[in-house]
Amino acid sequence: MNSIARMATTGLVAAAWCLCGQAFAEEAESGGPITTDTHRFQPLADGVYLAMYTVPRFFNSNSLVVVNENDVLVVDSHITPNAAKELIAGIAQITDKPITTLVYTHFHYDHAHGTQAFGDVQIIGHEFTYATMAGDPLNEPTFQQWFSGQNRAVPWLEGQIESAESDQQREQLEASLSAARAHLEHVNSIVPVPPDTTLSDRLTLYRGDREIQVIFCGRAHTGGDVVVYLPADRLVYTGDMAFQGPSFLGDGYVDEWPATLMKLKELDVAMYVPGHGPPFTDSGRLDIVAAYYGDLWKQVVAARADGANAGAAAAQVDLRSYADTLGIRRPGTDAQTVARIYRLLDERGE
């Protein structure tokens, strides 16, 4: 099944799934999650929420919402202005305090392309993120690769509708097609907004009695990943730099990533909140992932030294030693990851 087929099939299955929850007031009073038509706001600490996008058809990132004494800080702006508007509407159900600050964990489209919906707010990001977003981010390869897939979805769905075998299947496909077209309109409305406040190492904000640290631990998922650390709550929002397993490596600095994760471990943290998926508490997961990146790098470098091209190296990599910890049960790895490592080696003349 090709990537478009997988996307459409996922959409059809997900379209049948509905969120069931209590009314806003009841949820807020109970201290449980608050649900809207598009988001689930999970309380993590006093005034701190993990916002998870729940529209099943479309990929998106998490956001962190920090409600302070007089204002709101949001981390990551979502994938399109429309998705950001839905996030902002959900935040308004939680508090009437104004959103004054937005932090980018990194430049990727799913974390930073909804910003124009936020209006006049302070935008904080790493210097690398500024350079990328102030350049030509809509022609950046990772965005273009994803965008081309979105464009292919519409004609693929149109073809599936023509060959639909039942009225029910046709109705489901037509709903997916309508959503895909609308999503493309939202994507085409994106106007990237670079940060107006940058950091190279660390920036500390004080909002009422809350301390918020924005920290660059080193290159990892991109050249400018930052984490947002709330020391009083022992909570850190990691974006795509730290998951319980490996992240997307297509823009990564694979050999530097382990040291970056070890620097993250130096923070006094009880909860890690990633840019996708649920929070986790076991810092040992960072050790496992760091070791995986290190072994991946070594194997690819060795294959290259033996004369293998990127495709052959991707097939040769064998990380089944991580079967029990990361679920890797077959040899081989993603060709895009190996191509990225080869590019880094080329740039360094190695």
Side-chain angles (χ1 to χ4, degrees), residues 143-273:
F143 174 76
Q144 278 295 314
Q145 182 181 30
W146 170 80
F147 186 40
S148 64
Q150 304 303 297
N151 279 310
R152 292 194 301 271
V154 168
W156 186 89
L157 285 165
E158 290 171 340
Q160 293 298 301
I161 289 170
E162 291 180 4
S163 59
E165 297 178 355
S166 68
D167 290 342
Q168 181 181 12
Q169 185 185 36
R170 185 176 295 103
E171 288 175 4
Q172 291 174 333
L173 287 164
E174 286 174 346
S176 292
L177 177 60
S178 177
R181 285 172 171 163
H183 188 52
L184 273 178
E185 289 183 13
H186 300 318
V187 173
N188 285 319
S189 73
I190 293 169
V191 179
V193 183
D196 55 51
T197 303
T198 64
L199 65 143
S200 59
D201 181 50
R202 181 185 298 253
L203 176 67
T204 302
L205 307 172
Y206 296 94
R207 300 299 164 87
D209 60 359
R210 191 190 299 278
E211 178 181 347
I212 304 170
Q213 297 182 15
V214 184
I215 304 171
F216 175 66
C217 294
R219 298 197 294 188
H221 180 63
T222 72
D225 300 278
V226 299
V227 300
V228 178
Y229 176 48
L230 307 179
D233 299 306
R234 301 180 64 214
L235 179 155
V236 63
Y237 186 82
T238 63
D240 291 358
M241 189 186 84
F243 295 114
Q244 295 191 68
S247 183
F248 169 69
L249 304 179
D251 291 318
Y253 292 81
V254 184
D255 59 330
E256 299 177 37
W257 209 326
T260 300
L261 291 176
M262 293 306 98
K263 187 171 181 180
L264 175 64
K265 277 192 69 177
E266 294 175 5
L267 300 176
D268 180 19
V269 172
M271 181 183 294
Y272 297 89
V273 187

